[in-house]
Amino acid sequence: MGTRSGARRTQEYAWLITAPVSLFAVLVAVLLGANSDERFGNWAVAALFLGLFILADVSVLMFQVRRQTFTITLVEIPFLLALYWLPPLTFILVRVIASIIAQSSRRVPPIKLWFNVASNAASSALASLIVFAAQPLHVDGTDDNAGPYAWGVLAAAVTANVLFTLAATVGVITAVQGRLSSRDFVRIATPGIVVTGINITIGLVTLVLIQQSLWAILLLAALATFFVVSYRSYAQFLRQHRTLSEIYDLTRAIADTPHDGRLTDVLLHRVRQLLQAEYATLWLPQLGRYPEVLLSARVDDSGLTDLTGIPESLRRGVLETGRTLAIGPKLGTDELRAQLRESKAKDTIVVALRAGSAVIGCIEATNRLGDLATFGASDVRLLETIAAHAAVAVENARLVERLRYDAHHDALTGLANRRRINAAIDESVGVRAPGEQVAVLLFDVGGLRQVNESLGHSAGDQVLVEVGSRLRANAPPGALVGRASGDEFALTLRVESAEAAEALAVRIRQQIRDQMVFGSLTLDVETAVGVVIHPDHGSDAATLLQRADLAATAAKTVPGSIQVFNPGLESRSVRRLSLAGDLRRALDNDEIEVYFQPKVTLADRRLIGVECLARWEHPAHGAVPPEDFVAVAEHTGQLARLTEAVLKEGLKRCRDWAATDHPLSISVNLSARTLIDPDFPTRVQELLGEYGVAPHRLTFEIKEEGVLDGTDRPMPTLRRLRDIGVRLSVDDFGTGYSSLSYLRRLPVHEVKVDSGFVQGMATDPADLAIVNAVVTLSQQFGLTVVAEGVESELTLELLQDIGCEIGQGFLFSRPLPYERLEAWFSAQTEADSTAAGEVRRLRAVP
């Protein structure tokens, strides 16, 4: 209410312009009345011009040129003719009366009405003064016909009228709203001046024709009738075209807007602009886990607010009935109009949003801008069309939200799942401030197996839900609580020290230990807590969770059941240390073997390349997992030798395959540490030249956390490798917390979808949705997509359906040593001649 009152007081500044303009009109009228020989003239002619002025004032023509719409009035035509035929005082009086009638018919507010009347009176008085001062008009020797001198005087008078009106308008805008910029002034003035010139010309032609013969009035009437009919057809076409264009632009804007919260902003601002409304409001009542949404776009606000222009009862009525509600001077009943006036609104349209047969909310437009404009039936149809598109957009946004939620939350407890926990830990580690520590607390629920066996799995589920609820209730603000596995819950947060993390673990564990009552059952639940701290105990989610699991296992045997991780708990670390010397000897003696796993195009089963994988058969320990000896190589400075050994073997085989007219590309995995070696690109270029392999035949695969580590350290190496011509691939995409929009800015060519998502496609809709999204967006960014872990025909068919290009996995072949790979080539592939040369295709998928 305070804002509106302030707006009315501001408009009162218009009297600063209206008063002097009125005084000017009165003084000139008195002067002309006192000095004119003929004061009033023929009243019949005056009545005729009164009607013409009223008709011209209320008739507004709109024309569209390309994308610009121009508004035109024809008032200058009767204005020019009246100047010629009416005495000055009569002319001014007729113009003022016509202005009052026209403004009153439009229900213009009093302040604006009297400004318009005063402006018209003053500009008419100025024009009459010019004509009076230029008397006589007939300087060509005739008494009946106006000559060029009269044309010039009349044109000058009409032009002065327009310029005076323009100056008064700019003055009142400045007084009420502030100074008008030069650009806005030119934009306002130029069309009016151009139209004035056209109207002056038409008026002079009309004057000459009527003076030649009164019968010309019939011709002019016929011409006017033809113009009116043509304009009505044009106006109808223009409205239809504009409506279709606006709907198209709106639907395209909705389709192009990501479903991430910006949809409502785009939708409401577009609706407000299309309907020229003061308010555009979206209301979605609470539905399940979706909270109530009530947002409005207002003409004076750049963002969205929770203010609305109509009573809540009106939109609730639309929600209950599902019928459109339209209220205004031309719409609705007197009862509804009275109810609307109580809320200080003049008109509104409220349309239900439907999802199938259900009404999920409504969209409304309130208060058509402009004192004269109101909503009509065409606006109702337009908003109903928009509502249909908006309902689909809202449902799609909710579907995407559900998919995202399901992909990152545990179905039983509603907590974050392991994927979300991994992402949160990596995110916290990546943006850690100097001196800040990240703690991961893993709570292992004891005795859950006994509960399931004794009371059934439903009782076990109740225990898990209650543990999750207590964890969430007692976790500090900013902590993430999630279910890491069947009976394990993880809590991650930023802490000041390891001691603070351990103290928190003690407090939360005590809260969980309180008795749990389920109907007639009372259970005591114990938990063992493992605590790890970044950076002391690891720098990535996998390591931290693994070590937290080791600590939680150890906590089951210590008093208090809480254990902070220490290196002594990790037997594998001890084993890795013992492997360091053996790995160096293995590299010296070429004991590291390279296995090859084929990569196949999914559309036509064409073999296009292999991935080179290092394998080590230890004489005492047997097959050493790659993650073990790669970690040893990283920590003992042997990573460069290991990478070069694999790269050399791959380039050698690539050269041999090219020589047999069966060219295959190779892929080699790179560690994140290799990307910060400034000499690595130079060495790659030397090896390519040494083995005679084209750079595009070589692809380097970097794990997601290596290329997207939150810093720019890998960028120089990546750019140099790209400049050499080597292809770059992001491996295991989806296991980190990055986005494809960020990948688009990196010099990579390929994305490899993590096997965990691919293998879950056939059974988990969330995994299928994620893989589909990665494939679709990657292709839009021009990236090749490779699916890892293809192990079944069903997975293969799903990948083909969503347009994935390349796959690798056990369905085609396991990683094989070179000799077995050649045998696999002979048994599983056959040569096929193409325009690019001879290629191998799979005969059949084993």
Side-chain angles (χ1 to χ4, degrees):
M1 295 296 292
T3 301
R4 292 183 178 178
S5 297
R8 285 195 294 269
R9 286 195 299 271
T10 302
Q11 292 179 2
E12 292 173 0
Y13 283 99
W15 289 109
L16 297 175
I17 305 298
T18 303
V21 167
S22 302
L23 180 61
F24 174 79
V26 171
L27 293 177
V28 173
V30 170
L31 175 65
L32 293 175
N35 293 279
S36 298
D37 296 333
E38 185 180 10
R39 292 189 178 181
F40 298 106
N42 190 323
W43 288 108
V45 175
L48 172 64
F49 278 108
L50 177 64
L52 291 177
F53 273 128
I54 294 173
L55 180 63
D57 279 332
V58 299
S59 301
V60 178
L61 309 181
M62 298 181 65
F63 293 92
Q64 184 165 350
V65 179
R66 295 184 179 178
R67 293 184 177 271
Q68 299 294 324
T69 300
F70 297 94
T71 301
I72 297 175
T73 62
L74 304 177
V75 71
E76 288 85 5
I77 298 175
F79 192 95
L80 183 146
L81 298 175
L83 273 175
Y84 185 79
W85 271 302
L86 292 179
L89 194 59
T90 304
F91 170 75
I92 296 173
L93 183 63
V94 167
R95 184 72 186 102
V96 169
I97 295 174
S99 179
I100 293 174
I101 294 174
Q103 296 293 317
S104 300
S105 67
R106 297 175 177 177
R107 296 186 176 88
V108 175
I111 293 178
K112 188 173 182 180
L113 183 148
W114 291 116
F115 167 76
N116 290 335
V117 171
S119 175
N120 286 332
S123 59
S124 301
L126 177 62
S128 297
L129 185 62
I130 293 174
V131 172
F132 179 79
Q135 293 288 352
L137 294 181
H138 312 121
V139 297
D140 55 352
T142 68
D143 292 332
D144 298 326
N145 296 323
Y149 173 74
W151 300 346
V153 171
L154 293 173
V158 175
T159 303
N161 160 72
V162 172
L163 294 178
F164 185 92
T165 303
L166 178 62
T169 303
V170 171
V172 78
I173 291 175
T174 303
V176 173
Q177 300 179 1
R179 189 177 65 86
L180 196 66
S181 66
S182 301
R183 182 177 180 181
D184 289 339
F185 175 77
V186 172
R187 181 173 56 84
I188 294 173
T190 301
I193 294 175
V194 172
V195 170
T196 298
I198 296 173
N199 288 341
I200 290 174
T201 303
I202 296 174
L204 291 175
V205 170
T206 303
L207 175 63
V208 171
L209 290 175
I210 293 175
Q211 287 186 329
Q212 291 297 323
S213 173
L214 290 177
W215 291 104
I217 295 176
L218 297 178
L219 297 177
L220 293 172
L223 181 62
T225 302
F226 173 77
F227 175 79
V228 169
V229 172
S230 300
Y231 176 76
R232 287 175 61 88
S233 301
Y234 169 78
Q236 182 179 4
F237 166 78
L238 185 62
R239 284 194 299 271
Q240 294 173 347
H241 174 73
R242 185 186 298 111
T243 300
L244 291 175
S245 298
E246 290 171 349
I247 293 175
Y248 172 75
D249 290 341
L250 177 63
T251 54
R252 185 173 62 178
I254 293 175
D256 293 343
T257 302
H259 301 294
D260 59 357
R262 286 176 285 174
L263 177 63
T264 303
D265 196 304
V266 171
L267 172 65
L268 291 180
H269 280 95
R270 285 289 186 129
V271 169
R272 193 200 64 73
Q273 292 172 1
L274 292 182
L275 291 170
Q276 288 296 294
E278 180 183 359
Y279 290 90
T281 303
L282 176 69
W283 179 51
L284 303 173
Q286 183 177 1
L287 178 64
R289 64 182 180 87
Y290 299 109
E292 180 183 17
V293 175
L294 180 61
L295 294 171
S296 295
R298 291 202 309 171
V299 67
D300 296 327
D301 299 319
S302 58
L304 299 181
T305 70
D306 58 356
L307 302 175
T308 62
I310 64 172
E312 182 181 356
S313 58
L314 294 179
R315 67 176 66 93
R316 287 203 174 273
V318 172
L319 184 69
E320 294 170 359
T321 63
R323 293 195 296 269
T324 297
L325 178 66
I327 310 173
K330 303 177 183 178
L331 303 168
T333 63
D334 292 338
E335 180 181 354
L336 290 173
R337 281 193 285 269
Q339 185 178 355
L340 188 65
R341 281 195 296 270
E342 293 178 359
S343 62
K344 308 301 182 183
K346 69 174 182 178
D347 52 1
T348 188
I349 305 173
V350 188
V351 180
L353 298 178
R354 295 182 177 275
S357 59
V359 178
I360 61 174
C362 60
I363 188 169
E364 62 194 60
T366 303
N367 285 352
R368 186 68 174 266
L369 295 178
D371 299 320
L372 309 179
T374 58
F375 293 128
S378 61
D379 298 308
V380 175
R381 291 192 296 271
L382 176 59
L383 189 56
E384 287 176 338
T385 304
I386 293 172
H389 293 285
V392 173
V394 169
E395 279 298 286
N396 289 342
R398 286 182 169 178
L399 175 60
V400 171
E401 183 182 347
R402 283 197 295 270
L403 290 174
R404 287 175 178 166
Y405 183 88
D406 293 342
H408 293 95
H409 290 80
D410 176 55
L412 176 63
T413 64
L415 300 175
N417 59 15
R418 192 177 188 89
R419 184 179 301 153
R420 179 70 184 96
I421 295 169
N422 285 337
I425 294 174
D426 285 334
E427 181 183 19
S428 298
V429 168
V431 297
R432 181 177 61 90
E436 191 177 47
Q437 299 184 15
V438 178
V440 179
L441 282 58
L442 191 72
F443 293 80
D444 190 325
V445 181
L448 187 64
R449 180 176 179 181
Q450 289 76 10
V451 173
N452 288 333
E453 291 175 352
S454 303
L455 305 176
H457 285 276
S458 61
D461 289 345
Q462 291 182 54
V463 170
L464 292 174
V465 171
E466 180 62 20
V467 170
S469 177
R470 293 187 180 186
L471 274 172
R472 184 161 44 191
N474 292 280
L480 176 77
V481 179
R483 186 182 178 195
S485 63
D487 57 356
E488 292 181 338
F489 293 84
L491 185 151
T492 178
L493 75 165
R494 303 178 190 277
V495 295
E496 297 177 355
S497 63
E499 291 75 15
E502 188 173 5
L504 176 64
V506 172
R507 180 176 64 82
I508 295 180
R509 180 178 178 275
Q510 189 62 39
Q511 296 294 330
I512 297 175
R513 289 185 66 189
D514 289 346
Q515 290 183 340
M516 297 183 184
V517 179
F518 303 101
S520 61
L521 296 177
T522 300
L523 301 178
D524 291 323
V525 177
E526 290 287 346
T527 57
V529 187
V531 180
V532 294
I533 303 294
H534 167 79
D536 296 343
H537 302 147
S539 298
D540 60 86
T543 302
L544 290 171
L545 286 173
Q546 174 201 356
R547 292 175 174 174
D549 199 1
L550 288 173
T553 302
K556 297 176 182 179
T557 61
V558 301
S561 297
I562 295 176
Q563 175 68 57
V564 179
F565 174 81
N566 63 76
L569 299 175
E570 194 171 33
S571 59
R572 178 175 290 183
S573 297
V574 177
R575 182 178 176 223
R576 286 179 179 176
L577 290 174
S578 68
L579 292 175
D582 296 336
L583 177 61
R584 183 177 291 105
R585 286 189 293 274
L587 289 170
D588 291 338
N589 300 328
D590 294 330
E591 295 176 2
I592 301 298
E593 192 173 2
V594 177
Y595 279 45
F596 304 88
Q597 186 172 25
K599 299 169 70 173
V600 178
T601 57
L602 301 183
D604 55 4
R605 309 293 178 89
R606 179 166 52 90
L607 181 64
I608 62 169
V610 294
E611 182 178 1
C612 304
L613 303 167
R615 296 292 184 265
W616 181 21
E617 188 73 17
H618 193 278
H621 300 296
V624 182
E627 59 268 23
D628 281 358
F629 66 80
V630 169
V632 170
E634 287 183 341
H635 289 94
T636 58
Q638 301 178 73
L639 182 62
R641 291 187 62 195
L642 178 62
T643 302
E644 186 167 323
V646 177
L647 180 57
K648 285 182 176 180
E649 181 66 14
L651 291 174
K652 175 184 175 183
R653 301 308 178 188
C654 185
R655 178 190 61 191
D656 295 341
W657 289 323
T660 59
D661 294 327
H662 295 294
L664 294 177
S665 298
I666 62 169
S667 300
V668 177
N669 291 288
L670 288 187
S671 169
R673 294 196 176 190
T674 306
L675 295 179
I676 59 176
D677 181 3
D679 298 325
F680 180 71
T682 302
R683 184 57 180 155
V684 170
Q685 195 167 18
E686 292 174 354
L687 290 175
L688 288 171
E690 178 181 341
Y691 286 92
V693 174
H696 72 273
R697 291 289 180 189
L698 173 61
T699 299
F700 283 124
E701 297 182 6
I702 309 103
K703 287 190 179 297
E704 184 180 1
E705 62 267 25
V707 69
L708 300 172
D709 65 350
T711 70
D712 290 330
R713 292 182 302 171
M715 296 304 296
T717 300
L718 291 174
R719 292 193 182 99
R720 288 184 61 192
L721 290 173
R722 178 199 59 189
D723 294 339
I724 291 172
V726 172
R727 290 176 55 82
L728 300 174
S729 175
V730 178
D731 197 12
D732 294 341
F733 185 80
T735 57
Y737 198 58
S738 55
S739 65
L740 282 171
S741 61
Y742 185 68
L743 280 181
R744 184 177 57 175
R745 301 194 295 269
L746 295 174
V748 297
H749 308 82
E750 184 180 278
V751 171
K752 295 190 73 174
V753 185
D754 181 66
S755 59
F757 296 111
V758 175
Q759 292 170 359
M761 290 174 60
T763 57
D764 190 345
D767 285 340
L768 177 60
I770 291 172
V771 175
N772 189 13
V774 172
V775 171
T776 302
L777 294 176
S778 297
Q779 290 173 345
Q780 291 181 357
F781 295 157
L783 301 176
T784 303
V785 182
V786 179
E788 298 182 291
V790 183
E791 296 183 0
S792 68
E793 281 286 350
L794 178 56
T795 301
L796 176 62
E797 292 175 1
L798 291 173
L799 290 169
Q800 289 174 327
D801 291 341
I802 65 178
C804 185
E805 300 142 278
I806 301 170
Q808 68 180 106
F810 290 175
L811 179 65
F812 307 113
S813 173
R814 295 174 179 270
L816 301 172
Y818 179 74
E819 295 76 17
R820 291 180 59 189
L821 180 70
E822 288 296 319
W824 183 87
F825 284 165
S826 301
Q828 301 295 337
T829 66
E830 58 186 6
D832 186 12
S833 298
T834 66
E838 194 171 81
V839 298
R840 287 190 175 100
R841 300 185 191 276
L842 293 186
R843 290 193 178 95
V845 177

